[in-house]
Amino acid sequence: MGRGKIAIRRIENQTSRQVTFSKRRAGLLKKTHELSVLCDVQIGLIIFSSTGKMCEYCTEPWRMDQIIERYQKVTGTRIPEHDSREQIYNELTRMRKETSRLQRSMRGYTGEDLSSIPYEDLDQLEQQLEHSADKVRARKNQLLQQQLDNLRRKEQMLEEENSKMYHWIKENRAALDYQQAAIEVKPVEHHHQMLDQFPFFGEEGPNSVLQLSTIHPQLHPYGLQLTQPHLQDSSI
């Protein structure tokens, strides 16, 4: 069963089209080389892909320009040669004029060399400068407003932190006062405990440690009385 015929038309799918081009290009170059060798003919083949990539084949030892020149002699046609110097000169002249125009325009914007500018152009220049100044002022005001908004947000954050700190101190003030009172009372209680360790009879206890040092020691009323045996013996 033979192969079916393929309709010769443009392949719509780009991937399929590229694959087909690669395969058939390789086959075309192979057939061209075989034809050149087997039949001893001079062939010049130039291929441009849909993407603009060029592929060529030329029978050795010929060069492609020799093949093209031979083709021109046989057919009597010649490729017109363009003098690029004139094109380059025209482009250079155009660029110089454009540069000169831009320089004059810049001098007008900076207020220099206004004597050669006519009244109509001066009026237009004034309007352009005023429009530019309005845009500059608008941008400046926008930046100032952004800075002001940032400062207001920072101020609000500081006020919130200050309020939180104030409420915390207010809630914990009782505990702080209690701790401070306990610290002040401890030395006084310790002083009274020291004085209570010394009993005093017949009079009030001393008010301070200094008074305690000035009081003479008293004997207990029910204690033993000291005797002087040596003095009694001498009297007898």
Side-chain angles (χ1 to χ4, degrees):
M1 188 173 179
R3 297 175 58 185
K5 293 184 178 181
I6 301 175
I8 304 300
R9 63 174 181 269
R10 183 177 182 270
I11 301 175
E12 297 299 333
N13 185 273
Q14 184 178 0
T15 303
S16 300
R17 186 168 63 245
Q18 184 64 30
V19 172
T20 302
F21 171 75
S22 299
K23 291 181 178 179
R24 298 213 172 198
R25 179 189 59 185
L28 178 60
L29 293 175
K30 180 180 179 182
K31 292 295 183 181
T32 303
H33 175 69
E34 291 176 354
L35 178 62
S36 175
V37 173
L38 293 175
C39 301
D40 191 20
V41 296
Q42 291 78 40
I43 303 175
L45 176 65
I46 301 176
I47 304 172
F48 287 99
S49 67
S50 59
T51 59
K53 186 177 180 180
M54 187 188 74
C55 180
E56 64 179 0
Y57 173 83
C58 184
T59 302
E60 296 181 356
W62 291 70
R63 299 191 308 271
M64 185 60 69
D65 57 346
Q66 293 176 338
I67 298 290
I68 294 175
E69 184 178 0
R70 186 176 180 182
Y71 168 80
Q72 292 175 351
K73 289 180 179 180
V74 172
T75 58
T77 59
R78 291 190 60 85
I79 299 176
E81 296 181 359
H82 296 281
D83 190 357
S84 60
R85 291 177 298 179
E86 183 178 358
Q87 184 179 359
I88 294 174
Y89 176 78
N90 294 333
E91 184 68 18
L92 183 61
T93 303
R94 187 191 65 81
M95 292 179 64
R96 285 177 177 175
K97 291 180 179 180
E98 184 67 18
T99 303
S100 179
R101 187 187 66 81
L102 292 175
Q103 289 177 349
R104 287 196 304 269
S105 178
M106 290 300 297
R107 286 195 297 268
Y109 283 114
T110 57
E112 300 176 0
D113 193 15
L114 299 177
S115 58
S116 60
I117 302 178
Y119 177 81
E120 293 78 8
D121 294 343
L122 288 174
D123 187 27
Q124 184 179 1
L125 178 61
E126 182 181 7
Q127 294 178 3
Q128 291 177 355
L129 291 175
E130 289 179 355
H131 180 67
S132 300
D134 292 338
K135 294 177 66 176
V136 171
R137 293 191 190 97
R139 178 56 180 169
K140 181 180 178 182
N141 293 332
Q142 182 182 2
L143 293 177
L144 290 176
Q145 186 64 35
Q146 291 178 358
Q147 294 178 1
L148 182 61
D149 294 340
N150 292 334
L151 292 176
R152 286 176 178 173
R153 284 194 294 268
K154 290 181 180 179
E155 181 183 5
Q156 185 178 2
M157 292 174 60
L158 292 175
E159 288 180 354
E160 292 177 356
E161 292 180 359
N162 190 16
S163 178
K164 291 180 181 179
M165 184 66 68
Y166 172 77
H167 289 300
W168 184 87
I169 294 176
K170 186 176 180 180
E171 293 174 356
N172 295 273
R173 182 179 294 278
L176 294 174
D177 293 342
Y178 176 78
Q179 293 179 359
Q180 184 176 3
I183 293 173
E184 293 177 353
V185 168
K186 275 186 178 181
V188 178
E189 292 179 352
H190 180 68
H191 172 68
H192 288 296
Q193 290 177 1
M194 289 181 60
L195 295 179
D196 292 342
Q197 293 178 0
F198 298 92
F200 299 92
F201 301 94
E203 61 181 6
E204 295 181 358
N207 294 327
S208 65
V209 179
L210 295 176
Q211 292 181 4
L212 178 63
S213 63
T214 59
I215 297 177
H216 296 286
Q218 298 180 358
L219 297 177
H220 196 278
Y222 298 99
L224 296 177
Q225 197 171 17
L226 296 177
T227 59
Q228 298 178 355
H230 297 290
L231 295 176
Q232 292 178 357
D233 292 343
S234 60
S235 62
I236 295 174

